[in-house]
Amino acid sequence: MRVGPDLRAGDPDRHVKVKQRGSVLNMLRRLDKIRFRGHKRDDFLDLAESPNASDTECGDEVPLRIPRTSPRDSEELRDPAGPGTLIMAAGVQDFNRTEFDRLNEIKGHLEIALLEKHFLQEELRKLREETNSEMLRQELDRERQRRMELEQKVQEVLKARTEEQTAQQPPKGQAQVNNGADRRSQGLCPRVQKWFYEKFGEYVEDFRFQPEESTVETEEPLSARRLTENMRRLKRGAKPVTSFVKNLSALSDWYSVYTSAIAFTVYMNAVWHGWAIPMFLFLAILRLSLNYLIARGWRIQWSIVPEVSEPVEPPKEDLTVSEKFQLVLDVAQKAQNLFGKMADILEKIKNLFMWVQPEITQKLYVALWAAFLASCFFPYRLVGLALGLYAGIKFFLIDFIFKRCPRLRAKYDTPYIIWRSLPTDPQLKERSNAAVSRRLQTASSRSYVSSAPAGLSKDEDTGRCHGTKKGNFHEIFNLTENERPLAVCENGWRCCLINRDRKMPTDYIRNGVLYVTENYLCFESSKSGSSKRNKVIKLVDITDIQKYKVLSVLPGSGMGIAVSTPSTQKPLVFGAMVHRDEAFETIFSQYMKITAAAASGSDS
């Protein structure tokens, strides 16, 4: 079989292979670029290295097996027309086989590229979910705004400089001479600005005003262990201050005679020679040096008053409910006393400067004027010498005498008298309330005296004038006019009445005030507008009275009084009474007096 007259043996094969192989190689190069552009190409096994790859999916590196032909087959393939036809048939067959293999390889590369595209899309989606794009956009907008502001400022500065340069331009003759110098300065200005911004731009940015961010602190829940630990931390933190105050008081009290005498002599000499400030600075340096040695492990103890080590109780792990409650009460009591002392000090200082008591503040006012005039007319050395000598004599001698003689201190120690006479806010409130009550009593007594009949006694007058917050006493409890509270409970005791015979919560517990008269025990409810909820008990009808503890979980003996009468199945309890002991003694003594009078009357 002959293909054409102009074709030689081998030429058709060579011509077809070169043309088709070039297009296939270009396609393979593009697929290789697609395949190896990702950063995770090592995750995919090459088709040639994969054990599951078929013979048709191998790469170019795998050698193709060409089947061997036997002599008999070669003889059958020989064409009688000549040897060229045999070579041409073998070339066409080889070309068809290699093209088929390359198509299979292209198919494998396409599958790999699609898989990589899918995995890259998944990774891009995960990255978008993980990174907060909105925050990044906001930060980018802020940076852009800041950059625009900086550019605007730089432009303003450059504009101002150009205006100054134009205002200070030399004449035309000098302008031609200095033309080269101006060009040099124009070339140097951007460089200087750039260098200045590179060196000091970061420091300039630190002075940029920014709005303050309001941060909300999270509050910890109440815990008995946490509260106890905080109180112990406060005690340990205040220990250096308290020890320093104790040492100063020991120096003033001459606890150690030799130490106080040496300190007094050194201080007075230092003040006399003008070395007081260097002496205090040297003592501060010495104290820091000793603290450094103590921190390095040295055992140094320098104290006038010997320190007494308090036994530290290890915290218990398992506490009962009552123990926890008692622990909270102890810590709360210490905190209450500490806060009360601090509040008293701050309120006294405030009232001293706010002219609450003018006669006390007037002394401070005169002393400040005297100090001001002395500082204006006398030299500072003389003023400092006088103040230093007075402070030394006051601290080491006068205070020692006043502490040993309290009567002299109460008469002549002016700072002590001023501090003791300064009132706190609760004291001022009590004084104002007492003054208002006195005014009301005097006004009511005057109005009643002017309108009372002539034959009325003084006791009847006072009983008629007495009243509670809601009106007259005898009208509220429907009693006679001569029944009035005793002097001990004139304002009553605040408490809550617990009536266990009632089932409704509103009737079971009532808040109010308890009064004791000569013959009755009266309870005034604070939430009732009428007298139906008030309780009146005759002292003669009481069968039993005793102290009562409402909640057995709470520590102590309780804050209640139980009263039993024939009309109630269960005793009435007056609980939550702060002055329980005082009320119980008053009620019990009046009850015993009434029962004794009734017994003597029956015997007679």
Side-chain angles (χ1 to χ4, degrees):
M1 180 179 179
R2 297 180 67 181
V3 179
D6 297 333
L7 295 176
R8 299 179 182 177
D11 289 342
D13 190 11
R14 188 180 295 110
H15 179 73
V16 174
K17 282 185 179 180
V18 170
K19 186 175 182 181
Q20 295 295 333
R21 187 174 297 175
S23 61
V24 172
L25 289 175
N26 292 331
M27 189 179 294
L28 286 175
R29 288 173 184 171
R30 294 179 182 177
L31 290 174
D32 289 338
K33 290 181 181 179
I34 295 173
R35 179 184 179 187
F36 296 109
R37 66 180 177 183
H39 63 280
K40 286 190 174 183
R41 61 176 182 267
D42 296 335
D43 296 343
F44 303 99
L45 293 174
D46 197 354
L47 291 175
E49 298 176 357
S50 177
N52 296 325
S54 60
D55 294 337
T56 59
E57 294 177 355
C58 59
D60 294 337
E61 291 82 2
V62 181
L64 295 176
R65 294 183 180 181
I66 301 173
R68 298 180 181 179
T69 55
S70 60
R72 184 179 300 173
D73 296 335
S74 60
E75 290 178 358
E76 291 176 356
L77 290 174
R78 288 179 183 176
D79 191 61
T85 57
L86 181 59
I87 295 172
M88 181 178 178
V92 171
Q93 186 178 3
D94 190 10
F95 174 75
N96 293 330
R97 188 181 295 110
T98 54
E99 290 297 326
F100 181 74
D101 294 338
R102 289 189 178 278
L103 288 175
N104 289 332
E105 186 178 358
I106 290 168
K107 182 181 178 182
H109 287 309
L110 286 173
E111 291 178 357
I112 292 172
L114 292 174
L115 289 174
E116 287 184 354
K117 181 181 178 182
H118 176 71
F119 287 128
L120 289 174
Q121 288 179 351
E122 290 291 330
E123 290 179 1
L124 182 60
R125 184 179 60 81
K126 291 180 181 179
L127 288 174
R128 287 178 178 175
E129 291 177 356
E130 292 176 357
T131 56
N132 196 349
S133 58
E134 295 296 331
M135 293 293 293
L136 293 176
R137 288 178 182 176
Q138 293 178 1
E139 291 181 1
L140 184 59
D141 294 338
R142 293 174 186 172
E143 294 295 332
R144 287 177 179 173
Q145 188 69 20
R146 189 180 298 176
R147 182 179 61 81
M148 292 173 65
E149 292 176 358
L150 289 174
E151 289 179 355
Q152 187 176 0
K153 290 182 179 180
V154 171
Q155 290 177 1
E156 291 177 356
V157 172
L158 293 175
K159 186 177 180 181
R161 288 183 179 178
T162 52
E163 290 178 356
E164 291 177 359
Q165 290 177 2
T166 53
Q168 297 177 359
Q169 280 184 357
K172 294 182 178 180
Q174 294 181 1
Q176 293 177 0
V177 174
N178 297 329
N179 190 12
D182 292 339
R183 292 178 180 178
R184 293 176 184 175
S185 62
Q186 290 178 1
L188 289 175
C189 285
R191 296 180 183 177
V192 173
Q193 291 177 3
K194 184 178 181 181
W195 176 82
F196 182 80
Y197 184 77
E198 290 178 356
K199 293 293 183 181
F200 303 102
E202 184 177 358
Y203 301 102
V204 173
E205 289 293 330
D206 293 338
F207 289 95
R208 181 180 295 276
F209 292 98
Q210 295 180 357
E212 296 182 358
E213 297 180 358
S214 59
T215 58
V216 180
E217 297 182 358
T218 58
E219 296 182 356
E220 297 182 1
L222 181 62
S223 174
R225 184 174 298 175
R226 186 69 174 175
L227 184 61
T228 309
E229 183 182 356
N230 290 338
M231 288 298 296
R232 290 175 180 172
R233 288 172 55 198
L234 179 62
K235 189 176 180 180
R236 289 195 299 267
K239 188 176 180 180
V241 180
T242 55
S243 62
F244 178 71
V245 174
K246 286 181 181 179
N247 288 327
L248 285 181
S249 63
L251 279 176
S252 178
D253 295 341
W254 293 74
Y255 183 84
S256 177
V257 180
Y258 296 104
T259 306
S260 298
I262 292 170
F264 178 69
T265 306
V266 171
Y267 175 78
M268 297 301 287
N269 286 326
V271 171
W272 183 260
H273 293 90
W275 296 340
I277 296 177
M279 181 191 68
F280 287 120
L281 293 176
F282 176 74
L283 289 176
I285 294 170
L286 181 62
R287 182 73 257 184
L288 285 176
S289 302
L290 292 177
N291 291 340
Y292 174 75
L293 295 177
I294 291 171
R296 301 292 290 180
W298 290 46
R299 293 183 178 180
I300 300 174
Q301 185 176 0
W302 182 77
S303 178
I304 302 173
V305 182
E307 296 182 359
V308 179
S309 61
E310 298 179 358
V312 180
E313 298 180 359
K316 297 180 181 180
E317 296 295 335
D318 298 332
L319 296 175
T320 60
V321 178
S322 60
E323 289 178 350
K324 288 182 179 179
F325 193 81
Q326 184 65 35
L327 183 63
V328 172
L329 285 181
D330 294 339
V331 176
Q333 183 179 4
K334 293 179 181 179
Q336 173 187 348
N337 298 333
L338 178 62
F339 294 155
K341 292 178 182 179
M342 295 173 63
D344 290 342
I345 293 171
L346 296 175
E347 288 174 357
K348 284 186 176 183
I349 295 172
K350 181 199 70 172
N351 295 332
L352 175 63
F353 288 98
M354 294 303 295
W355 294 83
V356 175
Q357 284 191 346
E359 64 275 5
I360 296 176
T361 311
Q362 187 177 2
K363 296 178 181 179
L364 177 64
Y365 189 72
V366 173
L368 290 175
W369 269 109
F372 171 72
L373 295 175
S375 64
C376 291
F377 294 102
F378 295 101
Y380 288 107
R381 182 178 179 82
L382 183 60
V383 174
L385 178 63
L387 291 176
L389 292 177
Y390 171 75
I393 295 171
K394 178 76 170 59
F395 182 78
F396 285 98
L397 299 179
I398 298 176
D399 287 348
F400 174 73
I401 297 172
F402 282 156
K403 288 180 181 178
R404 293 294 184 273
C405 305
R407 292 184 179 179
L408 289 176
R409 187 173 192 179
K411 290 181 181 180
Y412 303 107
D413 193 359
T414 305
Y416 176 76
I417 294 169
I418 291 174
W419 184 256
R420 294 282 295 182
S421 58
L422 280 172
T424 59
D425 290 348
Q427 293 175 355
L428 291 174
K429 190 175 182 181
E430 290 178 0
R431 292 179 186 178
S432 62
N433 293 334
V436 170
S437 63
R438 287 198 204 100
R439 291 173 186 173
L440 292 175
Q441 287 179 1
T442 54
S444 60
S445 61
R446 288 174 182 174
S447 63
Y448 177 72
V449 167
S450 62
S451 62
L456 205 61
S457 64
K458 186 177 180 180
D459 294 338
E460 292 177 353
D461 183 16
T462 56
R464 190 184 294 272
C465 292
H466 183 80
T468 61
K469 295 180 179 179
K470 299 180 181 179
N472 293 328
F473 185 81
H474 66 278
E475 294 178 357
I476 292 175
F477 296 103
N478 297 325
L479 300 175
T480 58
E481 294 182 357
N482 59 353
E483 288 290 341
R484 61 182 182 273
L486 300 177
V488 181
C489 60
E490 186 176 0
N491 296 323
W493 297 294
R494 287 201 167 274
C495 62
C496 63
L497 175 60
I498 303 174
N499 191 355
R500 299 185 178 181
D501 292 338
R502 304 296 180 90
K503 295 183 180 180
M504 294 297 293
T506 54
D507 297 334
Y508 185 79
I509 297 177
R510 300 177 192 170
N511 294 321
V513 184
L514 181 66
Y515 299 95
V516 181
T517 64
E518 293 181 355
N519 299 311
Y520 293 95
L521 186 64
C522 305
F523 176 80
E524 182 185 2
S525 179
S526 60
K527 294 185 179 180
S528 62
S530 61
S531 60
K532 294 181 180 180
R533 292 180 176 270
N534 299 334
K535 191 73 177 177
V536 179
I537 303 172
K538 289 184 178 181
L539 295 176
V540 182
D541 296 340
I542 294 176
T543 58
D544 186 18
I545 178 173
Q546 59 182 353
K547 296 181 180 179
Y548 188 77
K549 187 176 182 180
V550 180
L551 297 176
S552 60
V553 180
L554 299 178
S557 59
M559 299 173 66
I561 298 174
V563 178
S564 300
T565 58
S567 60
T568 57
Q569 297 179 358
K570 295 180 181 180
L572 298 174
V573 179
F574 299 96
M577 192 179 298
V578 179
H579 304 283
R580 193 274 306 269
D581 296 335
E582 181 183 1
F584 179 79
E585 291 177 0
T586 304
I587 297 170
F588 188 76
S589 61
Q590 193 68 22
Y591 168 74
M592 294 300 294
K593 188 186 296 185
I594 292 296
T595 52
S600 63
S602 62
D603 292 339
S604 63

